[in-house]
Amino acid sequence: MPELPEVETIARGVHQRLSGDRIVMAWFGSHREPFKTPPARQAKGLEGRAILSVHRTGKHLVCELGPGLPNAQGTTSQTAEKLISRDKKRQGTTSVVPKVQQGKCGALAPVERSSAQWIVHLGMTGRLLVTTPDAPLAPHTHARLSLASGRELRFVDPRRFGRLEWRELGRTPAFQAAGIDPLTIASEKFYRLFHRPHTPIKAALLNQKLLSGVGNIYADESLFRSGIRPRRLSGRLTRAELEALRLALRQVLEDAIRLGGSSVSDYVDADGVRGFFQLEHCVYLRTGLPCRRCQTPIRRIELAGRGTHYCPRCQH
DNA sequence: CATGTTTCCTGACAGC
DNA sequence: TGCTGTCAGGAAACAT
């Protein structure tokens, strides 16, 4: 299931391959979920747009899109053309705004300001794949974006817990995560955030309004690495314990990103490649197996409706 | 208000 | 073999 490290891996892969490309045509194959914005409106909005960049916010993938300009082949669809002319009339100022980006080596590159966003949440089983147009179509493919480069970006999601959302900036505010990014949260902020007297620490870790990006795997793994039992009430943890947890969480997420994420269930990155962090798991899905640190069998309980794994000897 | 519970959805797998 | 039942879970909706 894609959590922060998996989404980060996919975002980097898609960004590397697709930034600078342009969406020629958008196809949406299902009329029900997973659409947060009606599919027809998403298709209209996406066609003709340049992909400026792709990045991760919490567990969401955000594609920053340029204004809808005619594509290289001159095959811009009617819907896209309508959108372009309307945009030009409405607000010429936000169309192309040349900006200067200060690179690390002092290089200057013109940067277009994003005028729209396509936001992808992968849910449990969502996959975002860069393919050739003739690649066999996986079952449960809900979206196909054909690109000026001749490739396709596909969204596949068997369980349909994923969500696709379209935002036209100016009309709608830019996407923001509800909580704070666990990779960058400061010590004091983390301490105050988790000072909740009635919430088990694991439930708090999973709450996306507090931190954005932690799911079941990395909640269990960070609690093991900091030696804290999942049922402990977060407000009763000491300052030292919460600091240990913050550092363990950051480390486990960074390690996982380095290994391309955890491939449990059927997670793959934008090229269909599996991650390797599942080999480093200490407790997640290791019920009954000996603890890597003390050999005590890993215990499984249910907490906040989720399978929860911990070592009864290493975690207090 | 802050927690806990249910719901959505399909594939994988166990057991008969 | 093929059927049924159970389980997995992110986050919204609903209940306590």
Side-chain angles (χ1 to χ4, degrees):
Chain A
M1 56 235 60
E3 302 180 27
L4 186 153
E6 293 76 29
V7 178
E8 179 69 34
T9 302
I10 294 165
R12 288 179 185 179
V14 175
H15 175 82
Q16 199 182 345
R17 281 155 193 78
L18 298 194
S19 57
D21 212 331
R22 185 177 294 279
I23 300 157
V24 176
M25 201 176 67
W27 173 91
F28 292 87
S30 168
H31 56 285
R32 289 189 293 163
E33 319 260 39
F35 304 109
K36 229 170 153 172
T37 311
R41 226 171 88 213
Q42 294 201 32
K44 272 188 195 177
L46 288 166
E47 287 176 358
R49 301 260 184 182
I51 300 171
L52 305 180
S53 65
V54 181
H55 57 96
R56 174 195 66 81
T57 299
K59 292 180 196 173
H60 296 259
L61 284 145
V62 182
C63 302
E64 303 288 350
L65 305 170
L69 298 173
N71 63 68
Q73 286 86 37
T75 55
T76 312
S77 70
Q78 277 198 324
T79 56
E81 258 164 9
K82 269 187 230 157
L83 194 76
I84 293 156
S85 54
R86 196 184 58 205
D87 269 5
K88 279 179 183 164
K89 271 183 236 162
R90 206 161 39 86
Q91 38 183 338
T93 50
T94 54
S95 286
V96 182
V97 182
K99 267 178 132 186
V100 172
Q101 185 182 50
Q102 293 190 322
K104 275 172 192 162
C105 52
L108 302 176
V111 170
E112 289 181 55
R113 182 192 292 173
S114 175
S115 63
Q117 293 177 319
W118 193 48
I119 299 131
V120 178
H121 191 289
L122 298 168
M124 280 284 297
T125 53
R127 292 154 75 166
L128 206 56
L129 298 168
V130 180
T131 69
T132 55
D134 58 328
L137 205 63
H140 311 292
T141 299
H142 303 301
R144 300 170 74 178
L145 309 188
S146 57
L147 305 164
S149 63
R151 297 170 298 176
E152 278 192 14
L153 181 62
R154 296 180 180 177
F155 175 71
V156 182
D157 184 15
R159 233 168 275 183
R160 293 197 297 207
F161 281 14
R163 291 291 178 267
L164 301 176
E165 182 183 356
W166 158 260
R167 284 188 184 215
E168 183 154 0
L169 302 181
R171 183 179 305 178
T172 317
F175 179 79
Q176 275 191 309
I180 304 165
D181 195 288
L183 288 177
T184 52
I185 188 167
S187 178
E188 183 61 25
K189 183 94 185 168
F190 191 89
Y191 177 73
R192 273 180 286 154
L193 201 64
F194 283 93
H195 211 73
R196 304 168 81 84
H198 307 299
T199 312
I201 183 60
K202 171 154 175 182
L205 282 171
L206 292 174
N207 185 345
Q208 302 299 300
K209 287 174 188 159
L210 302 177
L211 294 179
S212 286
V214 182
N216 210 29
I217 298 173
Y218 300 102
D220 281 3
E221 292 298 320
S222 61
L223 286 170
F224 172 80
R225 283 164 171 81
S226 51
I228 300 167
R229 288 210 187 191
R231 278 207 214 275
R232 293 273 305 282
L233 298 184
S234 73
R236 294 214 187 136
L237 295 174
T238 65
R239 195 173 273 266
E241 284 174 321
L242 281 169
E243 181 62 1
L245 175 60
R246 183 181 74 94
L247 295 172
L249 180 59
R250 194 171 74 189
Q251 190 169 20
V252 82
L253 293 171
E254 284 173 350
D255 287 350
I257 291 170
R258 221 166 282 132
L259 292 179
S262 299
S263 282
V264 296
S265 124
D266 53 358
Y267 162 76
V268 288
D269 72 10
D271 291 324
V273 176
R274 291 166 60 83
F276 292 96
F277 194 72
Q278 68 278 7
L279 304 173
E280 308 286 316
H281 291 177
C282 293
V283 288
Y284 183 75
L285 291 187
R286 296 194 75 247
T287 312
L289 295 173
C291 170
R292 293 193 196 279
R293 195 180 287 163
C294 75
Q295 313 306 316
T296 305
I298 298 302
R299 195 171 287 174
R300 183 188 182 284
I301 57 171
E302 181 151 319
L303 198 161
R306 311 272 158 71
T308 298
H309 317 76
Y310 71 97
C311 171
R313 187 158 160 200
C314 294
Q315 293 171 257
H316 302 283

